[in-house]
Amino acid sequence: MNQTETVPARTLTLLLGLTVGVIAANLYYVQPLVAMISNALGIATSSAGLVVTFTQVGYGVGVLLLVPLADLLENKKLIITLMMVAVAALLGLAFATHVIPYFIAALVLGVGTSAVQIVVPYAAHMASDSHRGRVVGSLMSGLMLGIMLSRPISSLLTDLISWHAVFFLSAALMTVMAFVLYKLLPPRQPEHTENIKYTRLIASMGELFVNTPVLRRRAIYQAFMFGAFCLFWTSAPLYLMSETYHLSQTAIAIFAFAGVAGAISAPFAGKLADKGLSTPATIVAMIAAIASFAVTHIVEPGSYVALGILVFAAILLDAGITATLVLGQRAIFSLKPEYRGRLNGLFIATIFVGGAAGSYAGAWAYAHGGWMMTTIVGTLFPATALVYFATEWVTGFRKNQN
């Protein structure tokens, strides 16, 4: 990484990877705790999903309206400020005993958590062109580890103490990370921002999405891939708790740890991108995601072998989704540096739509057709991404890029 501070480049990359994991986990801690928190706050079962939704809405707002500020304001201060906003929200959640305060804190937490999408382009700025893929890959490993570890950690901590302890722990981790970043992170002031106003900054995002085919395509590919990821992790716990497997909440938490192994694909994908092999890597990753749903039907469900195959499927799917995420961000970060904050905001916002669709589709498919229907619908997500990727040659897009 190109930085003039005394912090070694590898140390700084590891620090930023840990940071994105700690921040991103805040979006997923509550997913296994929805029933418990909604019962504690007196939320009706039909509205229990709002426990997760408000944080997601806040995150979407932050990604669209605050992440673009990375192209305008000094990045280090912006990251730390948003992290402290998240800390305040976490404490609000920890002490919440009524619905309205909880929802307000959850919304603010989502806004603060959008800091993770400022850290990633910051790291891309600090990396050289020849190593940018590897750096982004390292951060995506941290991101996926944060996502995958958040669910089992929150489940186990709740079993041992209470759901309040999850938010206290996260607030402590976020505070420590903010202090470390304050001490070690080199400042980064965006260039050529003297005449850019915030309103113009936000207005330009629509133009960027329409006029930047690399961004648009990579965002749509990843939206379908992330949709498959959310579909799987929405429906898999339902499947594991069903009569087929009868797993407990703790056992499902342990199952979730298996998916962490998929994050290992991130640095490899980054290295392949740096070597100009993004195209074959993307194809392999999409095929892996398709295969992950198919392999779950190799043997009769309910046995230990079938459960082992389901674990393998989770790892394979997560590896594919992580790889395409790295490849996509590597591609958009190779565009104009002065647009990276806005490009990343658009990229993540588009993915967010795909994830929301996948979560809904997963619950719907399992309710209407069990695991068979779930895997059929799940396969359609990466299959659609692969078909759309193939149109790069049909439309001449690939030719124009080379």
Side-chain angles (χ1 to χ4, degrees), residues 305-319:
V305 174
L307 183 59
I309 291 175
L310 196 61
V311 170
F312 171 74
I315 296 172
L316 188 63
L317 176 65
D318 292 354

Side-chain angles (χ1 to χ4, degrees), residues 235 239 297 361-377:
S235 56
Y239 185 42
H297 297 289
W364 178 89
Y366 190 81
H368 286 79
W371 187 248
M372 177 60 74
M373 176 67 78
T374 301
T375 55
I376 292 172
V377 176

